[in-house]
Each structure stands twice: as C-alpha cells, then as structure tokens.
Amino acid sequence: MDMREEEKRLLLENKKLAREVKRLNQDIALLREANEQALYTQAYIQRETERQMFYIEQLTRTSPNIFIMTDDQLCTVITSDLYFQYNSSYDKNAIRHGIPLRDALSEMFPEPELDTFMEKCRAALTGELVKSYVLHGKDTDERRFWRGSIRRMTKDNDVVGLNIMISDTSEIVDALERAEAADKAKSNFLAKMSHEIRTPINAILGLNEVILRESREKETVAYAADIQNAGKTLLSIINDILDFSKVEEGKMEILPTQYELGSVINDLVNMTRTRAEEKGLSFYVFVDETTPHLLFGDEIRIRQCALNLLSNAVKYTDSGSVTLTIGYDEVDAEKIRLRVSVTDTGLGIKSEDMERLSSPFARLEEARIRSIEGTGLGLAITKQLLGLMGSSLHVDSIYGEGSEFSFSIEQPVIKWWPVGKFVGRYEMDGMSHAAGHMSFYAPTAQVLVVDDMPVNLTVVKGLLKKTQVRVDTADSGRKAVAMAARKSYDVALIDHMMPEMDGVETLRELQKLPQTTDTVFIALTANAISGSREKYIEAGFHDYLSKPIDSEKLEEMLMKYLPPSKVNLQTESSMPAQTDACTCGEERHSQAADVSDAAPCGAEENGAIQLPTWLSQVEELDVTRGVKGCGSEETYLETLTVYARTAAAIADEIEGYRRAEDMKNVITKVHALKSTSRVIGAEALGTLAEKLELAGKAGDMDTLCGGIDELLSSYRALGRCLAPLAGQEPEPEKELPPISQEQLWDIYNMVRQLLEEFENDRAAAMIASLDGYRLPEEEQERACAIKRAAENFEWTQLEEILS
C-alpha cells in the first residue's frame, strides 16, 4: 500500500516537473527572441549613432561659423573646427571632456562682453528667448565683430544644454561702414560738383541753340536737334540726381521771387506737348481764366514739380490722353492756394504699391515698364520739394485706368490781374527737325566677326545687313586665325571672353599674319566698365564695342575705321535695295564659316517678316526689347532660331566643363550666355548668368556651382519653348531620378541648419537642387511651399515650414 502511494506521488511530481520544464522551455524561447530583438535594436542604435556622429563631424568640420554645444552646467561638449583658429588654449580632447564656457571664450572676447554673453546663456537655460546680437572681439590689430545666436536644447521637457552659433560679421560691418562713408562722400561730391557739371552742359546746349537758329542746312539742323534732345535729357537726369543729393544734405533752398503764372504754364505746355504727340497722346490744358497772373513764390521749383508729374504721365501712358489742370482757391485778400493737377489714362497704380510710390530710385512693376527710361527720382524729389514749400503730393489712381497727381501751394498775390484765356493763345516755337537716319553702305568692305556664341554672330550680321558689308563669322579664335591666313579683312570684331583661346590671345595670333597688316581690330565685350578702352588699346586693339551691340554705335565704328574708298554715305531712303528678300537666300549662305544662318522664312508678300504670335506668350521673353536689341524683326527671328538650335549643345558644353572642373571655361561660357540671353530679351536668364559670372570671378565657387543647375535648367527650358523656330520638336523633359522621403528629410535638416548659421544662399541653392529629383507625392505640397519661400527670400517663413 505504501509503495503504491509512493508511486502515485512520484508520478505527480514527474508531471509537475514536466510542466515546469515545458514552461522553462517557453521562457527560454521568449528570452532568445528578446535577446535577438535587443541585438537588432542595439545594431540599429549603433548605426544611427554612427550616422548622427558622421553628420555632427561633417558639421563641426565644415561649418563656416563657430559652433559650440554645452551641457546644462554651461560646460563644453563639442565645438566646430573653426573654434580652434581663434582659441589656442584648448584642444578637442579637453573640449570633449568639458571646460567652462566662459574659459573657452576668454581668448575671443573681453570681460564685459563675456559677462553679458554668459547672462544671456543662463537666461536661455531658463527658457527665455534670446535674440542674436553683435559681440565685439578683443582689441587686436584687426577689428572683429561677431554675431552670437543661443538656443536651448531639451529632451523630454528637460533642459540638456545649449546650442551656440558665433558667426564672424566683421566684413559685413566694415562693408556697411564703407557704404555709409561712400554714400556720404557721394552726396558731398554731387552737391559740390553741381556748378561744374551743369555749366559745360548748359554751354553745349546754348551753342547748339545758335546752330539751330542760324543754320540753313537740313542735315546740320537735324544733327543739332538730336544733340539738343539728348543734351536736355542728360541735363534732366543730372538735375534730378543733384537735386536729390541737395535735399538729402538739407542744402536745398526755396527762393521765392515775383513770377508770371502764364510763363510757367507756357513752359510746361511747350516741354510736354511734343513728347505727348510723339506717343500719339492727346494733351489737354485747362486753366481757370480768373487765376491771378502775377504771384510770389519759387517759380523754378513749382515748374519742376509740375513738369515731373507731366513727364511721368507721358512716359507711363501708352494711349489716351494727359491733362493739365490749373486753378486756385482764394485764401484771403493777399493770398491764393494755387492748384495743379495732372491726369492720365495710363497704367495706374495698385493700392499695395502706393506706399513705395515716392521711394527714391524705386520704380513700380519694373518688369512691365523696363523699356521706359528713368531714374526713379522724379516723384521722390517732387514730394520733398513740395514739403519744403509747405505742401504735399496727393494721388488718386485706379489700376489699369489711370491716375491723378495733384498738389496745392499757398502763394502771395502781387497783382490780381487774371491769367485770361490761355487755351489757343500759345504756339510751339522752333522748327520741326525730321530727317532720315544717316547710314552707309560698303559692298566691297570685308569684316570678320569672332564670337563663340552663334547668337551674337547672327545679331552682328543682322545689324549690318542694310550696309551690304561682306561679313564672315568664326566661332572660335583658332578658326578666325585660319580664315585670316587665307583672306584679308578691313576690320575684325573679336569677342574678349571665349573658351580655349580668348580675344587677346586671338589678337596676338592674328597680328603675326602678314595678311592683317592693315586690319583694324575691335574688341567686343559685355563688361564695359571705366577704363575698358585703355585696357584693350594697351592689349593691341584699336577700339572696343560693348555688348549688347547698339546698331548705331556699330555703324559709327565701321564708318570710322573702314577705308574711306569703300564707304558710301547715304540716307536710308537713298540706299540701294537689298538683293536678298529672305533669310534663306543662297547668296547669304555662301559666306565662310557662317554658323548662324538657316532661319526659317517668314516673309509676307511685301517682304516683311511676321513674328509668330505665340512668341508673345513665352513668359521668359521680352519680344519688344529683343527686336530693339537685334535691330529688326527679321534679325530677331534669325537670332531666336540660332538660340533655339544651339541651346541644348551649349548647355551640354557648360555641363561638360563643370564635370571636368574647368571653372575658367564655365565662367567664360556663362559670360557669353549672359549677353546672348539679353540680346533676345531673356532678361531674367541674363541676370542669373551675370550673377553666377560675378561669383565665379570673385572666387565664390559655392554660389557658381550652386546656381549652375538652375541656369542650365532655365536655358534648356527656353530652348525647348523656341524649338519650333528651328524646325525641331520640343525635347521631352528628362525622367528625373526619385528621392526617398528619408533623403528628403535629411536635406530639410541640412537646410534648417544652414539657416541657423545665416547661410541663406547655400540653403537656397540646396533647395533649388531638389528640381533635379522626382519627389514623393505626399511631399509635393510641402516642397512647393519651401521652394516658394526660398524664391521670395522669406527665411522666417521657411524656418517655420521646416520646423
């Protein structure tokens, strides 16, 4: 009996042990799975840590600013490499183990600056928002100014330390001080030079007036009339600049004298009516006949204010009318309030632009009015002059319908005689000096044009077409030398900046040839700065022309240097007719090394070229400006055709130079693209090319390389738009490579870091690089908002989006 019970007990124990073993096996499996998960997590954390450490290492190594990270006790944790250029007492190991922040910065800043900085750091630890501010470096041979930015770091709502950025702003401060000093020197110089500048111009205008009155030769009178108009325009611009300078310096004086109102009105009408008629505008004058005629005030300044308003009205009105209205309100027995109003049917002004209306050197809607001359000073001066006379400018405008500018000035009355019936009483004095443009033709003259951009070659040929000069073209210096070795040329026009062999090197090779003994060499350049002529003459050129090339200056240059025996002076009306009615003529295609012909025919029955209507819808083009730059619609169409045909190849050439790290030739080709784009009216593309060219010449490779993608993208896009002109189908846009959301977020983080370091240009360039990728659909909206903020320089908004 005892044995059976013992057996039962043992069986029960065995079952318990079996269940325990099973449970233990399950626990072991769970532990094994947990261990595997822990190992995976540990490996992931290690990879992420290494990745983050790599980013931190890159940031600390490449940051252009001093970057310092501290713990919550204001002891250092990490710094950028730039820190050690200004602090020699500590190495990376000491920084990593932690030293007091105050000690770490003791070599850079004096005690008072350090005290203030540490107070701001402690305030940041408590959660107070600390704005960036300027710190003054220690007194050394070189003044230094720094801008400090302090941000608190938290983890799970606990403060773990500070993120400190210190950027060197010494160059910016120095530049600001130099700019302020230069601005003051400019104002002083202009104020002092007022008499010296105006005196010779007035002498020229006075002597020219004698020619207008005494000469009986139509050609001489026509030339003198052009001189008079140009001289008055120049004097007007100089007067605006000098007057603005005087007002800024507080040296403008109001000098009241007795004057006749009728004389002022007569001057205003005579100086405005011709300009209005030339634009096809109606010019109306309404004068209250009872307005007193003899007043006491600053006649010159009142006339100047009214004339500024009239000039603007005519300039910004394309059709309709301009109206001058003059009246008065009686103040008392001795004074009136003279009212002057100018109304037009022009562009009008948007309500949001009203505040900027009288800002100096500012012109509203610049893209819309780019073809209108002006300094942007007229209204600013008018407003300031009226203020000096106790008045103000009043503006009423409806955008798209027109504007009314008016002012009223209190004037003492000398005599209450009425000005009387003014309309119909005045007559314009002088003669009408209309004459045809004087040009020349030289069918036996030989001219060589050397430029690496086919567009420029087409423009020069188009501008010289009516002269019948025989023009050969070469798209490189080496080709030009080979052509000149086989043929003699009277004049050679040589572009300065060309790849491989530039203009000066080409000139030296050409001068070695016996065929060029009598050749006149003229440099072509897009950088027409002060001293250019002397530089090119010193290099061996006889003269130079600036690009974009002006047709009249080009003709003047050739008339000056071509052999007199080959030049026949004629007016346009008496020049021989052209033998080729179309740009496809075989005769024109026979010239050597011509890379710029084969434009499509667009001739109508009367021989005129009709521009395609769709060109006006290409947003990147200002067609009016392009036609003006090319000299005619026919040449413009030829030039656009060449531009379209060569865009892809030239873009690939620039990209090839960049891949080969041949930045010299990249800059040269970008320089050429600047001028050719402006010739066809692609001003935005030309401006971008100019910005990158200047950056490259200044050694700013980051800006140059960062903007090349945008430039080439815009260039190729414009080439695709113009492809139909070259008989091509528009190229399909390339399939863009995809970018993952993780990669995109990495870029966003880098952009945010750059913004914190005040590296806005680099941040914008990084955002622009996204155009080369296909973004995830869920990120399209955010990416568009980021690009829009960067394009509009809204950095604060960009930071908010990235946050």
Side-chain angles (χ1 to χ4, degrees), residues 221-504:
V221 170
Y223 291 144
D226 290 341
I227 293 173
Q228 198 76 357
N229 291 332
K232 288 180 178 178
T233 301
L234 176 60
L235 186 60
S236 175
I237 293 172
I238 291 174
N239 285 340
D240 279 352
I241 296 173
L242 294 175
D243 286 347
F244 186 74
S245 174
K246 279 188 174 182
V247 174
E248 276 192 325
E249 292 294 308
K251 296 179 179 179
M252 178 66 75
E253 297 180 7
I254 300 300
L255 303 173
T257 60
Q258 177 179 302
Y259 70 94
E260 295 181 354
L261 180 60
S263 174
V264 174
I265 299 174
N266 190 73
D267 290 346
L268 293 175
V269 172
N270 285 340
M271 286 187 281
T272 305
R273 191 171 70 172
T274 302
R275 295 178 59 192
E277 289 174 350
E278 287 173 353
K279 291 191 67 175
L281 304 176
S282 299
F283 181 45
Y284 302 113
V285 180
F286 298 104
V287 179
D288 186 339
E289 298 178 14
T290 64
T291 306
H293 176 58
L294 203 57
L295 304 176
F296 187 79
D298 194 328
E299 172 191 6
I300 293 175
R301 299 308 172 196
I302 293 173
R303 182 193 294 111
Q304 182 178 355
C305 291
L307 187 59
N308 281 344
L309 300 183
L310 286 167
S311 297
N312 277 354
V314 173
K315 278 197 296 187
Y316 301 118
T317 302
D318 294 328
S319 62
S321 64
V322 173
T323 303
L324 171 64
T325 304
I326 294 178
Y328 77 103
D329 296 313
E330 188 173 335
V331 177
D332 53 37
E334 297 179 350
K335 295 179 182 177
I336 65 167
R337 185 167 292 280
L338 181 66
R339 290 185 281 103
V340 179
S341 170
V342 175
T343 308
D344 63 63
T345 58
L347 301 176
I349 304 162
K350 295 178 181 178
S351 56
E352 59 267 28
D353 288 337
M354 283 292 187
E355 291 184 2
R356 298 195 301 119
L357 183 61
S358 57
S359 299
F361 300 104
R363 304 210 303 164
L364 308 181
E365 298 191 85
E366 187 71 35
R368 188 178 177 190
I369 62 170
R370 64 177 63 179
S371 61
I372 300 175
E373 296 179 354
T375 60
L377 286 175
L379 286 181
I381 294 172
T382 299
K383 184 177 180 180
Q384 292 172 330
L385 289 176
L386 290 174
L388 292 174
M389 292 186 287
S391 181
S392 61
L393 183 63
H394 182 71
V395 184
D396 287 320
S397 183
I398 300 177
Y399 187 65
E401 296 184 15
S403 307
E404 179 183 5
F405 291 79
S406 60
F407 62 86
S408 58
I409 300 178
E410 196 171 279
Q411 298 281 273
V413 179
I414 303 298
K415 295 287 186 181
W416 283 89
W417 300 334
V419 71
K421 190 175 179 62
F422 187 82
V423 179
R425 192 179 71 196
Y426 60 86
E427 288 295 337
M428 292 277 292
D429 295 327
M431 301 163 48
S432 173
H433 311 291
H437 171 62
M438 178 66 74
S439 188
F440 72 97
Y441 71 100
T444 60
Q446 301 283 350
V447 173
L448 174 64
V449 185
V450 189
D451 198 305
D452 64 303
M453 296 298 281
V455 170
N456 290 334
L457 299 175
T458 302
V459 169
V460 175
K461 288 185 64 179
L463 294 177
L464 292 177
K465 180 180 178 182
K466 63 183 179 182
T467 67
Q468 299 184 15
V469 169
R470 297 181 182 182
V471 180
D472 288 349
T473 59
D475 58 5
S476 71
R478 298 192 188 283
K479 187 176 292 186
V481 173
M483 293 173 64
R486 300 192 302 266
K487 182 178 180 181
S488 297
Y489 291 96
D490 300 305
V491 174
L493 303 167
I494 306 173
D495 181 37
H496 178 201
M497 292 191 67
M498 295 186 291
E500 298 178 6
M501 182 187 288
D502 67 20
V504 175

Side-chain angles (χ1 to χ4, degrees), residues 10 14-15 20 72 79 82 122 162 236 244 279 299 360 377 416-417 480 493 518 569 638 725 744 761 802:
L10 290 174
N14 189 43
K15 288 180 179 180
E20 188 69 22
D72 58 352
T79 68
L82 188 62
R122 285 188 286 270
L162 295 179
S236 175
F244 186 74
K279 291 191 67 175
E299 172 191 6
L377 286 175
W416 283 89
W417 300 334
L493 303 167
D518 298 324
L569 293 177
E638 292 178 11
L725 292 176
L744 190 60
D761 288 341
L802 292 173

Side-chain angles (χ1 to χ4, degrees), residues 34-52:
N35 184 54
E36 290 176 355
Q37 185 65 35
L39 289 173
Y40 175 80
T41 302
Q42 183 179 357
Y44 175 79
I45 292 172
Q46 184 175 352
R47 286 198 306 273
E48 284 300 304
T49 301
E50 290 174 354
R51 184 164 168 263
Q52 293 299 327

Side-chain angles (χ1 to χ4, degrees), residues 54-237:
F54 172 76
Y55 287 149
I56 292 174
E57 182 182 352
Q58 292 299 312
L59 177 63
T60 58
R61 199 172 52 161
T62 63
S63 174
N65 301 317
I66 295 176
F67 169 76
I68 302 176
M69 191 179 294
T70 76
D71 57 19
D72 58 352
Q73 301 300 313
L74 293 182
C75 289
T76 60
V77 176
I78 192 171
T79 68
S80 62
D81 289 1
L82 188 62
Y83 164 85
F84 300 102
Q85 292 186 20
Y86 300 97
N87 300 274
S88 58
S89 299
Y90 304 100
D91 57 20
K92 288 187 177 181
N93 189 52
I95 292 291
R96 188 167 54 250
H97 284 84
I99 60 174
L101 178 62
R102 185 187 185 90
D103 294 345
L105 298 176
S106 59
E107 291 186 38
M108 294 179 61
F109 306 114
E111 288 296 323
E113 291 287 336
L114 274 177
D115 293 339
T116 304
F117 186 74
M118 295 305 297
E119 288 178 10
K120 290 183 178 290
C121 289
R122 285 188 286 270
L125 283 176
T126 63
E128 184 177 330
L129 181 62
V130 178
K131 294 183 178 180
S132 61
Y133 75 105
V134 175
L135 298 97
H136 298 81
K138 277 191 171 181
D139 292 334
T140 60
D141 293 339
E142 184 179 3
R143 289 193 315 161
R144 285 207 172 272
F145 297 90
W146 304 88
R147 178 169 290 277
S149 176
I150 306 169
R151 298 195 179 187
R152 187 173 65 153
M153 297 186 297
T154 60
K155 182 180 181 182
D156 299 329
N157 295 326
D158 293 330
V159 179
V160 296
L162 295 179
N163 185 339
I164 299 170
M165 195 74 64
I166 302 175
S167 54
D168 189 350
T169 60
S170 303
E171 291 185 4
I172 297 175
V173 173
D174 288 342
L176 285 173
E177 290 179 351
R178 288 195 300 270
E180 290 173 357
D183 185 62
K184 187 173 182 180
K186 175 265 301 180
S187 297
N188 290 334
F189 172 78
L190 289 176
K192 292 177 181 178
M193 290 296 292
S194 173
H195 178 75
E196 286 76 3
I197 293 175
R198 287 174 174 170
T199 298
I201 294 178
N202 284 323
I204 293 170
L205 292 176
L207 294 172
N208 194 66
E209 183 67 29
V210 175
I211 297 174
L212 284 171
R213 292 179 181 180
E214 297 183 0
S215 178
R216 294 296 178 264
E217 297 179 6
K218 291 184 178 180
E219 291 82 0
T220 303
V221 170
Y223 291 144
D226 290 341
I227 293 173
Q228 198 76 357
N229 291 332
K232 288 180 178 178
T233 301
L234 176 60
L235 186 60
S236 175
I237 293 172

